[in-house]
């Protein structure tokens, strides 16, 4: 014990002597790490200076990241599904370097540790519900921060704000603090306007809405409750016909039973609105469905990311849905102007008519299938 005390005293004396002799200890040495509390409530120790970021299974986050940073700077890896959306979205136009980001660390849907380590990430962001992926990162000794899609109970504006707030904590950049608050406040202002207008809307004036989450040659799934669809449909004054949690596998008989007034198709599906409106799909007669008869089938636009999960365009999604679900209540919303103003304000770009048409009419390849 005496030997240990003596060794400690000598060590302290040597450090003090080094300062007395003019030795310098850098700020980086004194404060090499910081601790972040992620969306699982876990304390994650990260480098004080983060220069290499990988975004894994939290697919929409790349767009929010670029929005917050004002560039794709420091992003060295992203999920292949995020890359498919990026290459077929406006994200690659505003932030062209994003398509150069590596996506080979995910192979056959799983993280390849050897490829991941080649990227030398300082930190990895992943979906909070993906415990298996978290364990891969932790076993590899890489700080992994969980971003949740569910802790705000599928509330899209809250989730979008939550992600931006967590990015602010991670990067601890005072120069971006005001920008982060502006982005968050804009989203809540849009939501407030939408909610106020539908607050006294009687139930009989709320149309029956169905969101086709995934629809390809192998399967058709609809988006039910306990999913983003609940927020997207109910907030602007609609009723979700899909009485199920999460995604529900369906067939045409079920669609006929629901007979929705309005149908939306997400960009996780390669199907387009005209496939239904023009009855182009073999083995499925969509001409019998009310939404098709009345021409109320819409493909979600694709701006910086797919317009279904929370992403950097989330306030625009809510406004666009409002104009489709309650067109009379929201006839004053000019979506061309809203999108142009938003992109100018938060991305610093001037959209052309051609750009708008590309956002409104995403290609099949954006589904990643």
């Amino acid at each position: 014990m005496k030997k240990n005390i003596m060794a400690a005293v000598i060590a302290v004396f040597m450090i003090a002597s080094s300062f007395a002799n003019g030795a310098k200890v850098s700020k980086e040495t004194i404060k090499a790490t910081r601790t972040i509390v992620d969306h699982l409530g876990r304390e994650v120790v990260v480098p004080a200076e983060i220069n290499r970021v990988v975004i894994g299974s939290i697919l929409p986050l790349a767009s929010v990241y670029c929005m917050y940073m004002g560039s794709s700077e420091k992003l060295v890896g992203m999920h292949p599904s995020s890359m498919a959306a990026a290459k077929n979205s406006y994200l690659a136009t505003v932030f062209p370097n994003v398509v150069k980001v590596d996506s080979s660390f995910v192979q056959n849907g799983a993280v390849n540790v050897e490829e991941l380590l080649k990227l030398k990430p300082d930190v990895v962001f992943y979906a909070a519900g993906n415990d298996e992926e978290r364990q891969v990162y932790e076993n590899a000794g890489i700080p992994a921060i969980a971003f949740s899609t569910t802790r705000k109970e599928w509330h899209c504006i809250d989730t979008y704000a939550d992600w931006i707030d967590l990015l602010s904590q991670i990067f601890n950049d005072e120069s971006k603090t005001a920008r982060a608050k502006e982005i968050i406040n804009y989203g809540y202002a849009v939501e407030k306007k939408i909610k106020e207008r539908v607050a006294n809307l009687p139930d009989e004036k709320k149309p029956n809405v169905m969101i086709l989450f995934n629809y390809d040659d192998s399967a058709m799934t609809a988006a039910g409750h306990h999913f983003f669809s609940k927020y997207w449909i109910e907030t602007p004054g609609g009723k979700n016909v899909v009485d199920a949690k999460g995604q529900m596998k369906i067939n045409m008989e079920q669609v006929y039973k629901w007979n929705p007034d309005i149908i939306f198709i997400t960009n996780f599906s390669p199907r387009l609105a005209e496939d239904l409106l023009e009855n182009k799909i073999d083995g499925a007669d969509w001409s019998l469905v009310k939404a098709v008869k009345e021409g109320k089938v819409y493909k979600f636009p694709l701006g910086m990311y797919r317009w279904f999960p929370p992403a950097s365009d989330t306030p625009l999604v809510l406004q666009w849905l409002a104009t489709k679900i309650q067109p009379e209540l929201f006839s004053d919303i000019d979506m061309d102007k809203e999108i142009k103003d938003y992109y100018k304000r938060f991305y610093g770009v001037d959209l052309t008519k051609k750009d708008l048409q590309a956002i409104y009419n995403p290609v099949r390849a954006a589904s990643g299938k």
Side-chain angles (χ1 to χ4, degrees), residues 22-82:
K24 295 181 179 179
V25 179
S26 68
K27 264 188 176 181
E28 289 73 21
T29 303
I30 296 171
K31 189 181 178 183
T33 62
R34 290 187 301 111
T35 300
I36 300 297
V37 178
D38 69 10
H39 287 168
L40 288 174
R42 297 169 58 254
E43 292 188 348
V44 183
V45 178
V46 300
E49 184 177 334
I50 297 172
N51 292 307
R52 299 182 67 81
V53 176
V54 168
I55 300 178
S57 55
I58 186 73
L59 304 182
L61 189 64
S63 69
V64 180
Y65 174 91
C66 290
M67 182 189 208
Y68 169 76
M69 297 292 286
S71 71
S72 59
E73 180 185 4
K74 301 182 180 182
L75 185 59
V76 297
M78 61 191 286
H79 196 283
S81 182
S82 300

Side-chain angles (χ1 to χ4, degrees), residues 50-56 62 65-66 71-79 83 97-105 115-125 142 171:
I50 297 172
N51 292 307
R52 299 182 67 81
V53 176
V54 168
I55 300 178
Y65 174 91
C66 290
S71 71
S72 59
E73 180 185 4
K74 301 182 180 182
L75 185 59
V76 297
M78 61 191 286
H79 196 283
M83 182 60 75
N97 286 333
V98 79
V99 298
K100 299 176 184 177
V101 173
D102 192 282
S103 59
S104 63
F105 71 98
E115 294 301 316
L116 177 66
L117 291 174
K118 289 178 184 178
L119 299 177
K120 300 179 181 178
D122 293 320
V123 66
V124 176
F125 304 150
I142 304 169
F171 291 98

